[in-house]
Amino acid sequence: GAGLMMDQTFFGKIDLITGFRYDYVDSYVFQGAGVYERGTSTPSNDPYANTGLFNPNSYSSYGNSSKPTMSASLSYHAPLGLMPYFTVGKQGGLIGGNITSNRTNLMGTSTLLEAGIKSSALKGNLNISVAAYDQTRSSFEVSQGEGAGQLSATVSRGIEAEGLLAVCIQHE
């Protein structure tokens, strides 16, 4: 993949960070003939699945996927060390752990909306942030030998808060 990023400050108080990345994944998976252990994951149309018997069949699949990733974050340096911000993003990325003999679509999509406020005090030793977010992750997987597939999506919404106090002790 390749990407670009820009960080720009306007009027000394407004920050805009934008980014763009494009990823391409090309994969070939081969599962040779062999013994299947009971309880392991094998293609559903395989008569030897989960039997513990020798399977004379081998499976292979080829897949490639490409997805863009785009994000923008706008923040304002307000008085009293407060910094409200808004972030929007759309990401395409490799779906980890799913490169198997029946996987042809190797990348999923994620969208994010987040708004919050950050603050720093005590010479940077105290950092506090509160944010609300809405995130959706989705992927599509084609089932081997069945010509169909399934869409998997996860939606997360919530409020997150974080505080960090760095205690500094001077030794003389």
Side-chain angles (χ1 to χ4, degrees):
L4 300 169
M5 185 172 197
M6 180 191 79
D7 185 351
Q8 186 68 44
T9 301
F10 301 96
F11 311 111
K13 293 206 174 266
I14 299 171
D15 290 333
L16 175 64
I17 301 172
T18 58
F20 177 82
R21 188 181 76 225
Y22 192 81
D23 292 306
Y24 175 82
V25 177
D26 194 2
S27 175
Y28 175 76
V29 178
F30 176 78
Q31 179 178 325
V35 176
Y36 285 120
E37 297 178 21
R38 290 188 185 277
T40 61
S41 175
T42 57
S44 61
N45 62 342
D46 185 345
Y48 298 93
N50 299 318
T51 63
L53 301 175
F54 178 80
N55 180 359
N57 303 314
S58 61
Y59 301 96
S60 66
S61 69
Y62 169 80
N64 62 51
S65 298
S66 60
K67 298 257 186 210
T69 294
M70 298 162 277
S71 65
S73 184
L74 185 66
S75 59
Y76 175 71
H77 295 272
L80 303 175
L82 299 175
M83 189 171 69
Y85 71 94
F86 178 75
T87 300
V88 60
K90 182 170 185 171
Q91 178 182 16
L94 185 64
I95 302 170
N98 285 329
I99 300 178
T100 63
S101 62
N102 67 340
R103 183 115 191 121
T104 56
N105 184 6
L106 305 171
M107 300 182 89
T109 302
S110 173
T111 58
L112 172 69
L113 294 174
E114 182 174 333
I117 191 162
K118 297 178 181 182
S119 179
S120 180
L122 301 176
K123 297 181 182 178
N125 290 322
L126 176 62
N127 294 293
I128 299 171
S129 67
V130 177
Y133 65 91
D134 184 309
Q135 183 174 31
T136 303
R137 295 180 185 180
S138 61
S139 65
F140 182 77
E141 184 170 330
V142 176
S143 300
Q144 179 177 352
E146 298 173 13
Q150 73 181 38
L151 177 65
S152 172
T154 303
V155 176
S156 301
R157 292 184 182 111
I159 297 174
E160 60 186 2
E162 178 181 13
L164 173 68
L165 175 62
V167 178
C168 299
I169 301 173
Q170 285 186 333
H171 295 281
E172 293 185 27

